[in-house]
Amino acid sequence: MAAEVEKQLLGQGAGASGIGTAVAEPMDGFAELAALFRTTMDAAQVGIFVLQERLFKYVNASFCRRIGFDAAELIGRMGPLQLVAPGHHPMLLELLQSGVQGFTGQQFELEVICKDGSAFPAMILSSTTQLDGQPALVGTVLDISAQKAAERRIRELADYDVLTGLPNRRLLRDRFAQLLAAAEREQSEIALVFLDLDHFKRVNDSLGHSLGDELLCQVALRLDAAVRRVDTLARLGGDEFILALPATHTSGAADVARRLLEAFIQPFEVGGHELTITPSLGISLYPRDGLDLETLLKNADTAMYKAKEQGRNAFQFYDSAMNTATLERLLMESNLRRAVSQQEFVLHYQPLVSLESGLIIGVEALIRWQHPDLGLIMPDRFIHVAEETGLINSIGDWVLCEACRQAQAWCDAGLPALTMAVNVAPVQFRQSGFVAVVAGALAASGLEAGQLELEVTERTVMHDADINLGTLSALHRMGVELSLDDFGTGYSSLAYLKRFPVGKLKIDRSFISDLETDADDRAIASTIVSMGRNLRLTVLAEGVETVEQLSLLRKMGCDMAQGYLFSRPLPAEQVTDLLRRQPFLQKEL
Ligand code: C2E
Ligand code: MG
Ligand code: MG
């Protein structure tokens, strides 16, 4: 078969003598040419092939060597489609088509797959020709692995710091452009941390540059271990490192900065020396302190110098208000710890009223912090700090126990059984022993599970829907009721709403406050009410303050309401009085 092709390629018709006979005959012009052709082909360093009707008609030695098939396996049996990754098939088919129409000199790159399954990048050059009077394709295959590797290495050298292997300023700029685009889209913040080692020059001067380099590499490793995978850690040169932290606000950046400082507590082992070195950090925040990398870098640098001025081994925000804010937060954090140990919390209760009967059929427990100097502090000011510091778990456990105890105390006092609604923070809900904590609170108080209702937000349950479904189901099996708080502000998926064993939706106050004037809010509220009805869920409106709001909600068919119109959250004794009097029963609100 190959001999036939040789003849064709050498311009001899079908009638000319075959290569087999050509060897036996004295060397005539054609045989000489054929031998020359074969030697040339076999000596060629590139793979050469001829295709006709999508099958190989000729392959040279180099081609066979590189892909691992021998000529007999390929010729007349296999085609190029079997040797390239499926991703390249469309391109190849197009080429085979155009080959029929006739053209010359086409060049393209693709991945060739060898007999053993390995693959290599190849440059293919092809032209059309005639074989046996029929169109055919002649091509060469050049293995370009080495060229690709070199290109990769050049890119690495251009993008990465040679000493530490960290991204350099160029790559930082590229990545930051992407972070900026995402932050703009999601309206999120980015923190930029400028980290500079304190007195690094002394290390270089006393121990020499190679140990200084070694120290920088170790610093890079420690920093890398202290940040998330989504963060970019780059080295600008010298002892300056930059961290770009997407979706990070003030307190998050302060946490990272503290973690980075902690990473330097352990001394470094360099060339048999134990070295202690500290960093100074400056932080700027997008968009507050700048809208582009250059400005943010400049401002983080300024903040870093402030940290140096203040005695090094510290971090500073560019915006000095942020420094006060973190200080306040730190004070708040230590105060909160004390509050937990000193039991400075109290619960107030707000009635949940049935719109059909006017009966108070439940109360929501709302925490307050009775601060010895500052007086009563509302949850919006401290719950997020409690969540970020993990203190919410012990606070939440206390709330659960106290609320269950109070509900049972009202039962024991002869008041009709009511629902006790307790807010559960996301962190608390996800802690592993949460179901056991709830069971414990019920057992300790003697309250029936059906009287306890846990309020979770959409964000809490959607966060890790599958894990949370397990917790929700376990609570549901215990008989505990579940409601979705602040409904409408998160990203509820209707599919999940159906799957979760939730019994109540609480329409967020933000939709209720402008109910009379805002047609959109009215539409949302009424949609939630009818959706709730279709899914057989109870719907409660939060923050009802006016008679007008109430009558609109009634018209929509809302089941329950809560708000200042009925009562503010009150201490237990005052609620006892309300529960006895049931003042909303008769009142035509
Ligand atoms: P929430 O669960 O949505 O609670 C309702 C909030 O709306 C309460 O604020 C309540 O006082 C307020 N409110 C009720 N009716 C009206 C009204 O007619 N008008 C206005 N303007 N506001 C009304 P509060 O007590 O400040 O609690 C704020 C948030 O703090 C709660 O929102 C809840 O998310 C959280 N929270 C409260 N107690 C706890 C707790 O024990 N644990 C946890 N994890 N979070 C809690
Ligand atoms: Mg609530
Ligand atoms: Mg709410």
Side-chain angles (χ1 to χ4, degrees), residues 280-282 299-312 314-321 323:
S280 293
L281 287 75
N299 292 342
D301 188 30
T302 310
M304 188 272 292
Y305 273 100
K306 262 197 280 175
K308 293 236 188 234
E309 278 165 21
Q310 295 191 350
R312 303 167 200 269
F315 68 89
Q316 280 286 307
F317 282 97
Y318 174 66
D319 183 342
S320 50
N323 295 320

Side-chain angles (χ1 to χ4, degrees), residues 364 423 455 485 506:
E364 176 173 4
N423 292 287
E455 293 194 0
D485 204 354
K506 299 186 73 172

Side-chain angles (χ1 to χ4, degrees), residues 21 32 51 54 57 79 84 101 144 200-201 237-238 242 264 272 291 315 333 376 378 413 432 454 500 503 534 583-584:
T21 47
E32 205 173 315
L51 290 178
R54 298 189 185 177
K57 287 279 168 176
V84 306
Q101 288 150 22
I144 52 171
F200 178 68
K201 199 172 163 308
I242 299 293
F264 286 81
L291 298 176
F315 68 89
E333 192 178 321
L376 208 61
M378 300 307 262
S432 55
L454 298 179
F500 287 145
N534 290 335
F584 318 118

Side-chain angles (χ1 to χ4, degrees), residues 144-161:
I144 52 171
S145 320
Q147 184 189 331
K148 288 278 166 195
E151 279 171 13
R152 239 188 340 265
R153 180 77 191 126
I154 289 167
R155 230 178 301 129
E156 262 169 31
L157 288 175
D159 282 347
Y160 291 89
D161 168 38

Side-chain angles (χ1 to χ4, degrees), residues 145-206:
S145 320
Q147 184 189 331
K148 288 278 166 195
E151 279 171 13
R152 239 188 340 265
R153 180 77 191 126
I154 289 167
R155 230 178 301 129
E156 262 169 31
L157 288 175
D159 282 347
Y160 291 89
D161 168 38
V162 185
L163 178 64
T164 59
L166 292 178
N168 61 15
R169 187 188 286 266
R170 220 185 78 95
L171 186 55
L172 172 69
R173 206 178 298 129
D174 283 359
R175 295 224 185 133
F176 202 81
Q178 290 170 14
L179 293 183
L180 272 181
E184 245 168 61
R185 219 172 31 242
E186 287 154 22
Q187 306 236 308
S188 60
E189 291 175 87
I190 308 171
L192 197 79
V193 182
F194 199 119
L195 184 149
D196 183 284
L197 300 179
D198 299 329
H199 304 301
F200 178 68
K201 199 172 163 308
R202 283 189 205 157
V203 177
N204 261 346
D205 290 350
S206 55

Side-chain angles (χ1 to χ4, degrees), residues 408-481:
Q408 185 59 36
W410 278 321
C411 274
D412 294 343
L415 291 160
L418 50 69
T419 300
M420 173 59 75
V422 175
N423 292 287
V424 179
V427 195
Q428 202 187 343
F429 186 79
R430 283 195 290 273
Q431 68 173 327
S432 55
F434 183 64
V435 177
V437 168
V438 175
L442 288 171
S445 60
L447 188 72
E448 267 196 41
Q451 277 183 258
L452 178 64
E453 182 171 88
L454 298 179
E455 293 194 0
V456 291
T457 63
E458 296 160 89
R459 284 183 195 89
T460 311
V461 284
M462 301 302 166
H463 183 81
D464 202 337
D466 289 329
I467 297 177
N468 294 335
L469 184 57
T471 309
L472 287 172
S473 308
L475 291 167
H476 183 65
R477 279 196 302 276
M478 273 165 59
V480 173
E481 297 290 329

Side-chain angles (χ1 to χ4, degrees), residues 89-101:
H89 284 182
M91 180 175 86
L92 201 59
L93 283 168
E94 197 179 318
L95 174 91
L96 294 171
Q97 289 290 318
S98 56
V100 177
Q101 288 150 22

